[in-house]
Structures are given as structure tokens and as C-alpha cells.
Amino acid sequence: MNRKAISLISGGLDSILATKLVMEQGVEVVGFHFTSPFSSRKDKEGGARAIKTASELGIDLITRHKENDYLEVLKNPKHGYGKNMNPCIDCRIYMLKITTTLMEETGASFVVTGEVLGQRPMSQRRETIRLIEKESGLEGLIVRPLSAMRFTPTIPELEGLLDRDKLLGITGRSRNTQYNLARKYNLQEFSKPGGGCLLTDPIFSVKLKELFREEKDFTLRDIDLLSIGRHFRLMEGTKLIVGRDKEENEKLRNLCSSPYIFFSPVDFRGPEAILKGPLNDEIIKMVGNIIAFYGKNTSPAFSVQSDNGTIETHIVEKTGENYERFRIQERGSI
């Protein structure tokens, strides 16, 4: 076993401090950060923060994206869901299994995490931590410097690579010790805790459940779109996403390609939208009325751009129908 480790860097304070405590003992550390289609805006900022924190620590950072294989974990988590649609135990196992591959690539001997015993209600209980470690194939090789004194010594400690007495024994949700250490080390580049994963968000989770149920062959782009705009299931196999502001209109425009069709208001200020599914007169009428409703316009004129670049302009009769009943989150739990 050598003095080289992989440290899981989230961009938050705990992972930074865990890395710092190990580096102080002369261990070479390579940072590892996961990006995800389920990252909230804050968590995406955390990704950028991870790069800055790695620079502040003076370590290299490797990033990997959770791919289609993670969707299978999400749809059928062996250990169930935590809050809403978050498969936190299975997610942790998934990340650590990928980390084992990275250990082989980099020549690292063990893994460092910022986990704190009792900080998270599902994935950081003592029995759950043991389960995750066993199923990831990393028994004895995961060092948790912030809570190390609360666990059985790991292999790096037993072999003398790490001095156990220089590690900590933090438990629970209080972060006073961590903030004191941040001041001691003059650390600046870390994000605040909480709120990073969209899978814990109740509205996003309803949309995701609905996607799982209604669409068999969804893609990562369909997942990316769940966090943008108002979502409507107009009929079976037909989904409409309507922008809520200028920024979302721009995102929809950039993400729109086959099989999506792009809709834009003509001669009035209003939302842009994309549609997945068959296009017929009934659907055109519904989309035009929804765009007009949010644009507060009485004459729904709009353009339709198909995937081959053809643009058509339509004017439809305003019906006054309440299309909010088609909004996915308005339909309750799926």
C-alpha cells in the first residue's frame, strides 16, 4: 500500500477538510468529482467550486459524469429511496464502485471521503456506512478523517500510513468544528451545505416519476429538461415544456433538436416552448393557447420549427380552456 489516495470532492467544506487532514500527513491526493443530470443550479455551481477548491488545495481533480447506467440505479434502487426520488445508498455505492476503477488508473491505495457519522439520516448511519463499504468492495479502504475516531481503524491506519491520533471524531449535524477548521486553514472556496440534489426536490421527483411511467425510451436530455420550465402531458406520448423566463427560453432553444419541435410566439411577448410527440391540428391549438395564456395575448399567433428547419406560422382560436389541468405537477403524486 502506498501513500496515495483518491478523495471524493463535492465542493463542500467537509470533503475539503477531509482532504486537508490526510494531506497534512504526507499523503498524495487526487481529487474526484462527480457531475450529474440531477444537479440543481446550486450543485452545478458546486461543480465549479470543486475545481476552485482543488486549486486551493493544490491537487489534481478528475471529473466524471453519471451516465445512462446510473439511470438504471435510479429506476430500481436495491436499497430504496431516501427523500423523494433520491436513492442515496445505491448512489453512494455506484460512486464508490467507479472510484475503485479510478484507483487502478491512478495507482491510489485508498479512498478519502468527507462523511460525518450521523450527519445524513439515511446514508451516514453506522450500519448504512458498513453496508455501503461492503457492497462497494472497499472494506477497510475508505478513510473518513472527520469521524475516523468513531470507527474501527482502517487499513491505511493499521499499516501506519495515517496517524489515527491526528484524525477527528465528529458526529451529528452541527458544523461548528468544521467552520473553526476552515478559519484555521483559511479556506475560502467551499459551497454551503444542503439543497444540491434535485432528486430530493418534491416537484422534480413528481416529474421524474411521470417520465419513468410515460416514456420507455427517455434519454439524459429528457432528464436535463425536467428542471426547466412548466411541463404538460397533453395526451399519451405528447409532452410540452414551456419556458418561464428569458433564461429558460434560451435553454429550451439550445436543447431543442429531434424529436423535439420548437414553438415561438409571433408579434407578442410570451414564452417559447418545445414539444415531443405527434403534431396535429389539435395539438397545435393546445400549444398556441398555452403560449398565449402565459404571454397574456388574445390572438395566439406563433411559429413552429420542425427538426428539418422548416418554419410555419399558425394562428389559432383562443378557447379559454384551463390547460393547467395538464401540468404534470398539478396532477399530484404519480
Side-chain angles (χ1 to χ4, degrees):
M1 177 172 279
N2 59 33
R3 301 179 69 83
K4 186 173 184 179
I6 297 290
S7 183
L8 301 186
I9 302 291
S10 66
L13 179 57
D14 290 344
S15 64
I16 300 168
L17 290 172
T19 304
K20 188 75 173 176
L21 288 169
V22 170
M23 290 176 65
E24 281 190 330
Q25 297 200 37
V27 174
E28 179 186 355
V29 175
V30 176
F32 187 20
H33 177 75
F34 276 96
T35 60
S36 169
F38 305 103
S39 300
S40 67
R41 178 180 298 181
K42 175 184 175 181
D43 207 33
K44 287 184 172 67
E45 292 170 354
R49 183 69 66 186
I51 296 173
K52 293 180 179 179
T53 55
S55 177
E56 184 177 45
L57 290 168
I59 64 174
D60 293 331
L61 182 72
I62 299 170
T63 60
R64 294 281 170 86
H65 193 68
K66 293 176 182 175
E67 300 289 354
N68 287 320
D69 57 343
Y70 182 70
L71 297 183
E72 296 304 314
V73 173
L74 179 59
K75 286 189 288 186
N76 299 292
K78 178 181 177 181
H79 301 288
Y81 297 103
K83 185 177 181 181
N84 295 304
M85 285 289 285
N86 185 16
C88 46
I89 295 175
D90 293 87
C91 180
R92 197 71 182 171
I93 294 169
Y94 170 88
M95 290 192 294
L96 287 169
K97 283 183 175 179
I98 293 177
T99 305
T100 60
T101 302
L102 195 63
M103 289 170 67
E104 296 174 3
E105 294 175 5
T106 60
S109 295
F110 61 97
V111 178
V112 177
T113 79
E115 293 168 290
V116 172
L117 181 63
Q119 187 179 88
R120 297 184 184 274
M122 189 170 181
S123 63
Q124 292 183 10
R125 302 195 309 261
R126 187 179 297 276
E127 62 273 19
T128 305
I129 286 173
R130 288 198 193 102
L131 171 69
I132 292 171
E133 189 165 305
K134 181 179 180 179
E135 294 202 10
S136 67
L138 287 168
E139 287 182 284
L141 295 175
I142 303 176
V143 178
R144 303 170 180 88
L146 298 182
S147 291
M149 301 299 289
R150 304 287 180 171
F151 294 103
T152 302
T154 60
I155 294 174
E157 294 169 77
L158 293 172
E159 293 196 1
L161 296 179
L162 293 173
D163 183 347
R164 182 174 174 81
D165 292 336
K166 295 180 180 179
L167 304 178
L168 306 179
I170 304 172
T171 62
R173 299 176 66 85
S174 173
R175 295 178 183 269
N176 289 337
T177 301
Q178 290 94 312
Y179 287 131
N180 287 336
L181 286 170
R183 285 190 286 272
K184 172 186 173 181
Y185 292 127
N186 194 29
L187 296 174
Q188 305 294 326
E189 299 294 348
F190 59 88
S191 55
K192 293 182 179 179
C197 181
L198 288 171
L199 295 172
T200 64
D201 179 82
I203 293 178
F204 182 89
S205 294
V206 168
K207 293 177 182 178
L208 183 60
K209 289 178 184 179
E210 198 271 351
L211 181 67
F212 284 172
R213 190 192 71 185
E214 296 290 336
E215 299 187 29
K216 301 293 185 184
D217 299 320
F218 61 85
T219 65
L220 284 173
R221 182 173 49 150
D222 296 315
I223 296 289
D224 287 336
L225 286 165
L226 291 179
S227 59
I228 304 172
R230 307 172 181 92
H231 288 237
F232 298 80
R233 183 67 63 179
L234 301 183
M235 57 182 62
E236 184 177 352
T238 305
K239 185 176 186 180
L240 178 72
I241 305 174
V242 181
R244 289 174 292 197
D245 53 36
K246 182 178 179 181
E247 180 181 355
E248 288 195 341
N249 286 344
E250 182 68 26
K251 288 180 179 178
L252 291 177
R253 194 179 304 118
N254 291 336
L255 287 170
C256 185
S257 61
S258 182
Y260 287 92
I261 299 171
F262 187 70
F263 290 78
S264 182
V266 174
D267 295 331
F268 71 96
R269 294 180 63 184
E272 294 176 329
I274 61 175
L275 178 82
K276 185 180 183 181
L279 188 64
N280 54 42
D281 290 342
E282 182 181 1
I283 294 297
I284 288 174
K285 184 176 181 179
M286 294 175 75
V287 174
N289 272 271
I290 291 170
I291 289 176
F293 173 78
Y294 288 109
K296 296 180 174 55
N297 185 269
T298 58
S299 177
F302 58 94
S303 65
V304 181
Q305 181 171 338
S306 62
D307 56 2
N308 64 8
T310 302
I311 299 177
E312 299 177 353
T313 299
H314 295 264
I315 300 176
V316 300
E317 179 183 354
K318 192 167 185 179
T319 64
E321 184 177 350
N322 180 16
Y323 289 102
E324 284 289 293
R325 62 192 176 91
F326 293 102
R327 279 189 72 175
I328 290 171
Q329 68 265 35
E330 299 298 328
R331 294 158 64 173
S333 298
I334 304 299

